[in-house]
């Protein structure tokens, strides 16, 4: 479990010189600025690609989340560890692994249809089984299974043929089938392990095989590093680089090295991030196949997630878990194809873009190309008037991405108002383009967040807060199922009336609004009083218990309506939240929601 956590935080990067962005980007471990300072000469394709396919496939896929009549939930590829399956018994699974339904052409075609630009597949996961023909061990798909073929050869060739960059996932430290590999403490004595021997005898020779026998690779995706110092990791990286200088290494090679940054599993940064990076999500709750895991993200969720990641400047690598027969789950296939249809029409607003210059708005997010902003509209304002705050550049034109129909634009102060045409409001993401000259304005989280009665809800996220005293804006990590990580950025540390968080909003439509605080609050923090100031008007509230904060359990957020407030005039207002008295941390505040109170 600890190992999953660690892998989730082998991170780093340069953060944009944004107002207060560092508040939101307090990461456990930073990617080394020495490596991020000079980019890999072949990083260009990666930065432009935006959409990758991750594939977790191994013996665990055959077990499908079940061992000895017991069902396991969460990371299916961890079943050997979760059920503490002895090496001897786990090895026997190989004799039953015969993925005759695997078809490399079909997988590559699916990736192509989905608009995928790169693919990373598990060559060896923590279980220690090699999904390729390895001379280093007999515990591999050719020697130990009735299948007897190397699926990676075919997959590498089929992907390349379709113009998809091909790469391998390789668990370089954890290997639960080897006495000297990391993290199997149920069969092997941790104290007796010699990790260097493991690297020398298995990991390095296998990586050499992968980098020699499968043509030019786009990526080696390392994971959960351990057992090596910074210097040893440098030597390891440099040694492998000689084999394929063009191949990129993920930051989870460890010790701050690697060619691009990987965020934690299922983690999406809240503000733009400079340099090449990737968000990693799985399509359902597990990475490896589990037959009872049916929680698949819909095409709408995938399309919005992809736009959201691109709006912060990164790539989305979405995982699918094929089963033990070699079939990609039906829903993954279906929903990936739907995503591909959207990308076929709207790809210009995703591929080759950089982070959006307009911070996240109630209507959606933005991405950029030189002189262009792509507006990804998830929620159409009821009156069709889309507001962009803080837009100082001169507009040349505005139009729909599909059909290139002109959209009327007006300037009001430094706000831009687009008069959107009618469109299907259930659509995942309708894209508009603004062409402009000059500078928009610095990406600025202090620009007041527009609040109107054009949306059912107006959300002001913690990241827009300005904190005082001991209050901090922090990313929090917790999990649902085993290894099913979730992240939320919250204002934390408010224990005293001097610890406060304030937010500026711009009321577009005067009227009454419900003010809702969305927070997590453990038992010890419950029943404490807090105050929310709207300019000078005080609203008192008492905290409600939601859940304790424990990394291996869900963090439950409650939506607590604390007030009805009349905003008599349009314009800027400040919302300030603080404890009324000194005490325990008031709560972990995720969002302030303003819900228009409609007369009808
Ligand atoms: O432990 C692994 C996990 O099984 C999965 O492979 C993920 C994917 O990013 N990586 C590790 C945890 O971060």
């Amino acid at each position: 479990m600890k190992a999953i956590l660690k892998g989730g935080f082998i991170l780093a990067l340069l953060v944009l010189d944004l107002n207060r962005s560092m508040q939101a980007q307090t990461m456990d471990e930073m990617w080394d600025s020495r490596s991020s300072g000079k980019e890999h000469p072949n990083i260009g394709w990666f930065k432009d690609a935006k959409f990758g396919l991750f594939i977790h496939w191994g013996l665990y896929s055959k077990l499908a989340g079940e061992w000895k009549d017991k069902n396991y939930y969460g990371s299916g590829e961890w079943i050997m560890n979760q059920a503490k399956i002895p090496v001897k018994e786990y090895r026997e699974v190989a004799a039953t692994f015969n993925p005759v339904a695997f078809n490399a052409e079909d997988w590559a075609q699916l990736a192509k249809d989905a608009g995928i630009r790169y693919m990373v597949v598990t060559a060896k996961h923590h279980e220690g089984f090699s999904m390729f023909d390895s001379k280093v061990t007999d515990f591999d798909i050719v020697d130990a299974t009735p299948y007897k073929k190397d699926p990676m050869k075919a997959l590498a060739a089929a992907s390349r043929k379709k113009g998809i960059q091909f790469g391998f996932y390789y668990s370089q430290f954890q290997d639960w089938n080897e006495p000297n590999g990391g993290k199997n403490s149920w069969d092997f004595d941790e104290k007796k392990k010699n990790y260097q021997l493991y690297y020398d005898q298995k990991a390095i020779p296998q990586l050499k095989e992968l980098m020699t026998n499968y043509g030019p690779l786009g990526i080696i995706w390392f994971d959960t590093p351990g057992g090596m110092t910074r210097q040893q990791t440098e030597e390891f990286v440099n040694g492998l680089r000689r084999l394929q200088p063009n191949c990129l290494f993920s930051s989870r090679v460890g010790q701050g090295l690697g060619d691009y940054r990987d965020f934690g599993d299922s983690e999406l940064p809240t503000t733009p991030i400079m340099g090449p990076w990737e968000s990693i999500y799985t399509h359902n709750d597990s990475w490896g196949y589990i037959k009872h895991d049916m929680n698949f993200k819909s095409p709408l969720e995938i399309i919005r997630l992809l736009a959201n990641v691109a709006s912060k400047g990164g790539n989305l690598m979405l995982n699918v878990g094929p089963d033990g027969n070699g079939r990609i789950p039906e829903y993954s296939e279906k929903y990936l194809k739907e995503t591909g249809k959207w990308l076929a029409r709207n790809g210009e607003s995703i591929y080759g873009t950089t982070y959006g210059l307009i911070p996240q708005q109630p209507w959606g997010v933005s991405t950029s190309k030189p002189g262009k902003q792509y507006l990804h509209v998830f929620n159409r304002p009821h009156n069709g008037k889309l507001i962009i705050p803080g837009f100082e550049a001169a507009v040349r034109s505005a139009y729909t991405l599909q059909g290139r129909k002109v959209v009327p634009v007006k300037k009001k102060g430094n706000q831009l108002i687009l008069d959107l045409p009618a469109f299907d409001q259930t659509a995942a993401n309708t894209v508009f383009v603004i062409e402009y000259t000059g500078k928009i304005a610095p990406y600025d989280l202090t620009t007041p967040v527009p609040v109107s009665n054009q949306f059912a809800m107006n959300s002001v996220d913690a990241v827009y807060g300005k904190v005082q005293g001991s209050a901090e804006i922090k990313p929090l990590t917790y999990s649902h199922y085993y290894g099913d990580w979730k992240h939320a950025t919250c204002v934390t540390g408010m224990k005293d009336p001097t610890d406060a968080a304030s937010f500026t909003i711009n009321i577009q439509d005067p009227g009454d609004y419900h003010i809702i605080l969305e927070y997590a609050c453990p038992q010890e923090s419950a029943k404490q009083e807090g105050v929310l100031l709207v300019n000078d008007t005080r609203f008192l509230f008492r905290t409600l218990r939601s859940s304790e904060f424990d990394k291996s359990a869900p963090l439950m957020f409650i939506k607590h309506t604390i007030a009805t407030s009349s905003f008599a005039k349009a314009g800027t207002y400040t919302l300030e939240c603080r404890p009324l008295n000194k005490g325990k941390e008031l709560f972990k505040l995720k969002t302030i929601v303003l819900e228009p109170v409609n007369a009808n």
Side-chain angles (χ1 to χ4, degrees), residues 1 3-9 54 56 60 75-78 122 125-126 169 171 174 176 221-224 252 262-266 280-282 287-288 317 319 482-483 485:
M1 196 68 162
I4 306 191
L5 267 174
K6 192 150 197 266
F9 283 106
F54 209 0
H56 276 64
Y60 45 81
S75 292
E77 70 286 0
W78 275 71
T122 46
H125 203 270
H126 312 329
Y169 170 109
S171 171
Q174 291 201 65
W176 305 329
W221 212 93
F222 295 99
D223 203 5
T224 66
R252 292 191 188 178
D262 267 305
F263 274 81
D265 296 346
S266 319
I280 317 125
Y281 278 76
T282 188
W287 302 88
M317 182 157 73
N319 177 74
Y482 185 91
W485 297 109

Side-chain angles (χ1 to χ4, degrees), residues 192-231:
K192 291 199 184 134
K193 286 184 179 179
N194 180 342
Y195 298 134
Q196 195 53 52
L197 211 59
Y198 173 73
Y199 278 108
D200 291 343
Q201 294 185 344
K202 186 162 177 187
I204 295 174
Q206 284 208 320
L207 282 157
K208 286 186 175 161
E209 290 181 325
L210 292 171
M211 297 186 81
T212 312
N213 301 338
Y214 296 87
L217 300 179
I219 295 175
I220 295 281
W221 212 93
F222 295 99
D223 203 5
T224 66
M228 279 199 286
T229 62
R230 161 94 191 192
Q231 199 195 326

Side-chain angles (χ1 to χ4, degrees), residues 231-243:
Q231 199 195 326
Q232 286 169 323
T233 312
E234 267 172 8
E235 284 162 14
F236 171 80
V237 163
N238 294 340
L240 294 173
R241 281 227 194 276
R242 276 182 220 117
L243 297 171

